[in-house]
Amino acid sequence: MDSLDPQGPIATDIDGLFRLTLNIATVIFVLVTGALLYATIRFRDRGDRTPEPKQVEGNARFEVIWTVIPVLILASIAVPTVDRIFKYTSCADDALHIEVTGHQWWFEYNYPDDGFSTANVLVMPTDTEICLDMSSDDVIHNYWVPKLNGKRYLVPGQATVLLLRADEPGEYWGQCAEFCGLSHAKMRARVIAMNPDDYADWLTSQQRPASMPADGTIEQEGMNLFLGGQCVSCHNISGVTASNPALATGSIYGPDLTHFSSRDVFAGATLNHDDPGAIESWIDNPPLIKPGSFMPNIDLTQQEIEALAAYLRSLD
């Protein structure tokens, strides 16, 4: 989350523009402050010995100089700024398109060419231009992964575009940058950049349906609770919830859980799978952890919570 440490060519280019502007502003600040200090000291009140500064009002040469110089400074900033606005709001023909939908309070990622959706973690290949086609399902959000690019709004009913590109494999964190409700601060974006071979393996794994638990296990008990309770009304698990009528109507609005355990984080990328008891605490009372959460407390018993948590951990 450090915008001064760019890790991709787009962020590096924008950082260069920022530093150009900063350097120009610093020179102007030093010159103006120096002139102010000189005038303050040189012409301070010393009674009869105070010198009278030379009056230059109406001097045509000075008027031209201090009109032309600001114009040149503004032009040197405006031209590259406008150039980058157009450059980074359109996608190349060979860009990889990923659809991003903002929800209160998590990001959904749909890979249209590969036929699956996931949540909270955006996985992308390195050395490839990623074109994020963005919209919002409810209110205005703002997608921001500072090490890879600047911010861009996600607006209900409006399509926006953001480009990402990473040179090196790694993990890049982001955050919704527009106040979007009670748990806005808990709407994070996690981006994983993989080399192309690893990315191809990841795509293959995500296209597989969920693994089925063995008979008589706690994971199977959890799956039965999932299918027989309220969970299935909001969440999809490929290969498990095919008969869910909400799939046909498109009314499912919770994260797709097919490969839940492969993401490492959940609940808007604010909780980690490895934290002891994190999944159980979330299932027990989501609004307690994430105020305003649309996932309700459905008064599960401790045994039911543990069975559901075991089932979710098995979805790799």
Side-chain angles (χ1 to χ4, degrees):
M1 291 291 293
D2 184 356
S3 60
L4 300 179
D5 181 26
Q7 298 293 313
I10 298 173
T12 300
D13 191 25
I14 295 174
D15 183 69
L17 179 58
F18 163 73
R19 292 181 188 279
L20 169 66
T21 306
L22 178 64
N23 291 335
I24 292 174
T26 300
V27 171
I28 293 173
F29 173 79
V30 170
L31 292 176
V32 171
T33 303
L36 182 61
L37 288 174
Y38 172 79
T40 301
I41 296 172
R42 177 71 176 80
F43 301 107
R44 68 188 185 279
D45 185 8
R46 287 176 289 182
D48 294 339
R49 295 183 296 111
T50 303
E52 183 69 22
K54 182 180 179 180
Q55 302 301 305
V56 295
E57 182 180 2
N59 187 306
R61 178 178 299 176
F62 285 148
E63 294 286 350
V64 171
I65 290 174
W66 58 53
T67 299
V68 170
I69 289 178
V71 169
L72 294 176
I73 292 173
L74 290 176
S76 68
I77 297 173
V79 170
T81 299
V82 173
D83 172 68
R84 282 156 180 80
I85 289 174
F86 286 100
K87 184 178 179 181
Y88 296 134
T89 52
S90 60
C91 301
D93 293 338
D94 59 348
L96 172 63
H97 286 258
I98 300 175
E99 296 171 354
V100 182
T101 303
H103 303 268
Q104 289 177 314
W105 289 270
W106 56 285
F107 290 108
E108 177 183 5
Y109 303 105
N110 180 42
Y111 293 71
D113 294 336
D114 301 288
F116 68 87
S117 295
T118 184
N120 298 319
V121 181
L122 171 67
V123 179
M124 55 181 269
T126 55
D127 296 325
T128 302
E129 182 176 300
I130 309 300
C131 180
L132 300 183
D133 301 306
M134 308 196 300
S135 63
S136 173
D137 190 46
D138 35 52
V139 300
I140 294 176
H141 301 281
N142 197 323
Y143 198 82
W144 184 36
V145 183
K147 288 191 175 185
L148 298 181
N149 201 341
K151 306 172 184 175
R152 190 60 50 83
Y153 281 112
L154 295 85
V155 183
Q158 181 176 330
T160 55
V161 169
L162 179 69
L163 305 186
L164 297 182
R165 189 177 181 118
D167 289 333
E168 300 293 336
E171 178 185 59
Y172 307 95
W173 282 95
Q175 172 73 42
C176 176
E178 179 73 15
F179 180 74
C180 55
L182 203 56
S183 281
H184 156 70
K186 295 188 174 185
M187 185 173 178
R188 306 185 70 189
R190 182 176 181 241
V191 176
I192 302 293
M194 299 177 172
N195 66 56
D197 290 340
D198 290 340
Y199 178 72
D201 293 341
W202 178 82
L203 281 180
T204 301
S205 69
Q206 296 296 306
Q207 289 169 325
R208 287 197 294 262
S211 56
M212 298 298 289
D215 292 342
T217 61
I218 188 173
E219 289 81 4
Q220 187 190 45
E221 181 184 346
M223 184 183 72
N224 293 336
L225 284 168
F226 180 90
L227 293 173
Q230 299 182 35
C231 310
V232 73
S233 63
C234 294
H235 297 283
N236 176 53
I237 298 179
S238 177
V240 175
T241 58
S243 60
N244 183 0
L247 284 173
T249 62
S251 60
I252 284 181
Y253 57 85
D256 188 298
L257 301 178
T258 303
H259 297 286
F260 172 83
S261 187
S262 69
R263 299 173 197 156
D264 297 332
V265 294
F266 63 104
T270 58
L271 297 179
N272 195 306
H273 289 187
D274 295 333
D275 292 340
I279 298 177
E280 287 83 353
S281 298
W282 173 252
I283 295 172
D284 182 30
N285 192 351
L288 182 64
I289 296 174
K290 205 170 183 179
S293 169
F294 294 103
M295 181 171 164
N297 177 359
I298 53 177
D299 296 324
L300 296 167
T301 66
Q302 188 60 34
Q303 182 178 348
E304 292 172 329
I305 291 171
E306 292 175 0
L308 281 169
Y311 177 53
L312 290 174
R313 289 193 179 93
S314 74
L315 299 172
D316 56 10

